[in-house]
């Protein structure tokens, strides 16, 4: 269940903001993302840390609906993923 | 409009894709057949002959409705059992051709579970992905089917969660080219839409078309290699073990006959109501994704996901307001995982609602649904602290 090959460290751009949604069930990680995406500058990266399987598929879907960019999802060492989203506008 | 089959008169039942209420003609046939069709159809005395005649008449009717010959049709104890036997029996029969099974990523869980058994037995399974509408990727499907050692390919006629109709004719052409049998799970379309062609194995479930629960159909085209994966048994041309439930089979055939006869007008009417929901929900509710193919779809199913809404909360509110619907969101599943169908499509899995309309659904009930939904979603979002 990985959609990105690279590790967060290996990705081109470090996140400008990290949202810790570990242990939170969907849709809470997405509500947190939507509330905070405008806290980073345009083209900035938000990393959402989440371990609910629904977040893994829903954050890319949210990006598609909201015209932001899903950069990649990187497995975390313990559990869950760092899901990177680039603010497009 | 409310129906005798809802004991709670306030409930608008919108979950036909789970089970269609018993058709009145099935009820009538069931009660009559309980009295005359109870004997063992395999025996040679009078009541047995009568049970056998009823069973064979039902077989002929079901065969005709599904585009098959009567001797190709076997009755199972459920649609799930039909799929298990269809998948595993065809793989078993074609062992020498190879051990590869090809399925789409959005098949019913019974197909995926049968595939799991096949893998544990040392076979291999290739799961072909789908696009955003839920339709199988035909290029990938073709490549998978043409690969050496493919014993069977499975594709549903229409998806049970989002209603998208699969390209069966194209898939069947690919399978014919490769000399691979195609199993079509027609659970959501049997009786509602014309039966597709080109399959080698077809499965269906009576309670989805208004028959009683406990009757499935397994159709194996003449010439298709098939061997039972279960202990041998004499029943149903040695294809299905166990004593046939003749009264339920008779009722299933009566329901199918009635549903097919009505489907010309009723499917069109339900399809128009589904169109209304597909158009109105995104107009009335902000941040909604309507899912599945808008045109190539089953007549009775519509699915949408509401951003920032917990599926379980929405189902609970809809239940309180008198609407019976289902959801593919993880919070509503016993596994706490989102539906594999929605995941494979790459659509939103949270805030998901599937509306599937049974025969006789009134426009009034659909209008009432559309009138209560916006405020319900707004309130759930407000409670979750979403800025609106």
């Amino acid at each position: 269940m990985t959609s990105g090959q690279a590790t967060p460290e290996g990705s081109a751009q470090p996140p400008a903001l990290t949202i810790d949604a570990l242990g939170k069930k969907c849709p809470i990680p997405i509500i947190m993302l939507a509330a905070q995406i405008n806290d980073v500058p345009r083209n900035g990266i938000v990393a959402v840390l989440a371990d609910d399987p629904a977040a893994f598929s829903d954050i890319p879907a949210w990006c598609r609906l909201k015209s932001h960019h899903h950069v990649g999802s990187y497995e975390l060492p313990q559990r869950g993923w760092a899901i990177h989203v680039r603010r497009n506008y | 409009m409310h129906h005798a089959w809802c004991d709670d008169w306030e409930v608008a039942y919108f979950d036909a894709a789970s089970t269609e209420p018993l058709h009145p003609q099935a009820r009538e046939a069931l009660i009559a057949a309980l009295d005359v069709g109870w004997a063992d159809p395999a025996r040679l005395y009078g009541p047995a002959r009568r049970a056998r005649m009823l069973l064979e008449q039902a077989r002929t009717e079901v065969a005709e409705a599904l585009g098959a010959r009567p001797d190709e049709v076997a009755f199972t104890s459920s649609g799930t059992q039909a799929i298990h036997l269809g998948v595993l029996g065809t793989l078993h029969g074609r062992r020498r051709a190879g051990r590869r099974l090809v399925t789409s990523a959005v098949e019913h869980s019974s197909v995926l579970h049968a595939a799991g058994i096949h893998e544990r037995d040392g076979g291999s399974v290739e799961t072909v992905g789908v696009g955003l509408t839920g339709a199988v990727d035909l290029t990938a499907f073709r490549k998978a089917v043409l690969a050496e050692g493919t014993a069977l390919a499975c594709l549903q006629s229409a998806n049970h969660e989002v209603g998208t109709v699969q390209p069966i004719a194209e898939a069947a052409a690919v399978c014919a080219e490769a000399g691979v049998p195609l199993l079509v799970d027609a659970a959501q379309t049997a009786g509602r839409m014309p039966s597709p062609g080109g399959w080698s194995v077809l499965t269906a479930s009576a309670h989805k078309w208004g028959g009683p629960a406990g009757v499935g159909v397994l159709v194996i085209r003449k010439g298709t290699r098939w061997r039972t994966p279960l202990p041998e048994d004499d029943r149903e041309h040695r294809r299905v073990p166990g004593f046939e439930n003749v009264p339920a089979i008779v009722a299933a055939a009566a329901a199918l006959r009635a549903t097919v006869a009505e489907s010309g007008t009723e499917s069109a009417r339900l399809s128009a109501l589904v169109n209304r929901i597909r158009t109105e929900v995104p107009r009335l509710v902000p941040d909604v994704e309507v899912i599945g193919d808008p045109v190539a779809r089953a007549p009775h199913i519509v699915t949408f996901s509401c951003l920032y809404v917990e599926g379980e909360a929405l189902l609970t509110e809809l239940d309180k307001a008198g609407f019976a619907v289902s959801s593919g969101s993880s919070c509503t599943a016993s596994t706490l995982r989102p539906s594999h169908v929605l995941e494979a499509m790459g659509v939103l899995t949270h805030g998901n609602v599937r509306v599937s309309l049974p025969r006789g659904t009134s426009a009034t009930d659909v209008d009432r649904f559309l009138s209560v939904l916006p405020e319900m979603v707004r309130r759930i979002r407000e409670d979750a602290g979403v800025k609106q």
Side-chain angles (χ1 to χ4, degrees):
Chain A
M1 216 182 162
T2 53
S3 71
Q5 296 299 311
T7 60
E9 293 75 28
S11 61
Q13 197 183 340
L17 174 70
T18 298
I19 297 171
D20 183 358
L22 289 166
K24 297 203 162 46
K25 295 284 173 212
C26 237
I28 294 165
I30 294 195
I31 294 175
M32 294 168 81
L33 172 60
Q36 295 177 56
I37 184 104
N38 289 340
D39 295 351
V40 303
R42 201 150 59 88
N43 293 319
I45 304 278
V46 179
V48 183
L49 311 182
D51 51 10
D52 181 13
F56 182 85
S57 48
D58 280 18
I59 290 175
W62 180 86
C63 290
R64 177 173 52 75
L65 291 171
K66 291 291 173 187
S67 303
H68 289 297
H69 180 65
H70 172 234
V71 179
S73 301
Y74 313 100
E75 251 178 79
L76 296 172
Q78 298 298 316
R79 68 201 152 98
W81 309 269
I83 307 169
H84 286 205
V85 173
R86 193 179 67 221
R87 181 184 167 191
N88 271 355
Y89 55 90
Chain B
M1 189 166 92
H2 297 286
H3 299 274
W5 35 259
C6 260
D7 54 356
D8 182 342
W9 293 86
E10 296 306 312
V11 170
Y13 180 79
F14 287 172
D15 196 20
S18 291
T19 191
E20 172 82 14
L22 193 67
H23 195 288
Q25 291 193 29
R27 186 188 155 81
E28 225 173 89
L30 180 63
I31 289 166
L34 281 170
D35 286 333
V36 295
W38 51 269
D40 184 346
R43 300 290 171 257
L44 297 175
Y45 38 80
R49 276 198 301 275
R50 196 161 50 192
R52 186 162 65 248
M53 196 198 70
L54 288 171
L55 176 62
E56 294 315 315
Q57 201 180 322
R59 196 185 310 281
T60 303
E61 283 174 10
V62 168
E64 197 187 318
L66 299 180
R69 290 170 28 162
D71 62 352
E72 296 172 333
V73 172
F75 293 107
T76 64
S77 64
S78 66
T80 290
Q81 193 198 28
I83 284 173
H84 290 168
L85 287 171
V87 172
L88 297 176
T90 312
L91 288 169
H92 195 28
R94 282 183 44 86
R95 241 185 125 91
R96 273 191 285 176
R99 304 222 56 203
R100 263 171 57 82
L101 167 66
V102 174
T103 79
S104 89
V106 296
E107 297 301 302
H108 188 262
S109 56
S110 54
V111 173
L112 305 180
H113 290 153
I117 291 267
H118 177 60
E119 261 182 330
R120 280 201 291 286
D121 279 354
S124 69
V125 177
E126 184 164 349
T127 308
V128 179
V130 298
L132 206 53
T133 64
V136 71
D137 175 346
L138 268 175
T139 311
F141 186 82
R142 182 169 187 278
K143 197 165 162 247
V145 169
L146 285 170
E148 186 66 29
T150 304
L152 174 66
C154 297
L155 190 60
Q156 62 202 183
S157 56
N159 185 266
H160 50 295
E161 287 186 35
V162 303
T164 299
V165 164
Q166 298 292 351
I168 295 296
E170 290 84 348
V174 165
C175 288
E177 179 190 347
V180 168
L182 174 66
L183 181 150
V184 173
D185 163 18
Q188 289 302 336
T189 58
R192 299 176 194 274
M193 298 177 86
S195 199
W199 45 265
S200 296
V201 181
L202 184 86
T203 61
S205 175
H207 74 96
K208 307 276 193 202
W209 70 57
V215 180
V217 181
L218 170 65
V219 192
I220 302 172
R221 270 276 186 254
K222 204 142 185 74
T224 306
R225 282 190 175 278
W226 187 90
R227 268 189 73 184
T228 180
L230 297 177
E232 288 282 347
D233 193 274
D234 284 345
R235 304 278 164 178
E236 294 297 290
H237 309 300
R238 298 177 176 268
R239 285 176 180 161
V240 187
F243 188 87
E244 298 91 343
N245 186 346
V246 175
I249 290 168
V250 168
L256 185 58
R257 188 175 57 224
T259 302
V260 168
E262 294 161 2
S263 74
T265 49
E266 187 60 1
S267 287
R269 201 183 66 81
L270 294 180
S271 188
L273 292 174
V274 160
N275 262 346
R276 185 164 155 66
I277 297 172
R278 288 192 72 97
T279 320
E280 288 300 298
V281 167
R283 207 178 61 77
L284 297 168
V285 184
D287 284 327
V288 164
E289 179 176 35
V290 181
I291 291 164
D293 196 300
V295 180
R297 59 168 177 79
H300 59 306
I301 302 175
V302 48
T303 302
F304 56 88
S305 292
C306 307
L307 259 179
Y308 317 129
V309 168
E310 194 198 358
E312 190 179 14
L314 190 48
L315 252 57
T316 306
E317 288 306 310
L318 283 167
D319 179 46
K320 278 193 223 158
F323 294 97
V325 299
S326 77
S327 168
S329 296
S330 54
C331 49
T332 67
S334 51
T335 54
L336 290 180
R337 285 196 56 91
S339 127
H340 70 274
V341 172
L342 302 179
E343 267 186 346
M345 291 169 68
V347 296
L348 280 186
T349 70
H350 72 265
N352 180 258
V353 172
R354 177 185 70 183
V355 172
S356 53
L357 305 178
R359 56 177 284 283
T361 298
S362 72
T364 316
D365 278 348
V366 169
D367 286 345
R368 192 165 70 85
F369 177 79
L370 291 171
S371 74
V372 302
L373 184 71
E375 175 57 18
M376 217 173 255
V377 171
R378 199 198 59 76
R379 228 176 26 238
I380 294 169
R381 284 176 177 159
E382 186 178 74
D383 290 350
V386 178
K387 269 189 275 168
Q388 312 188 61

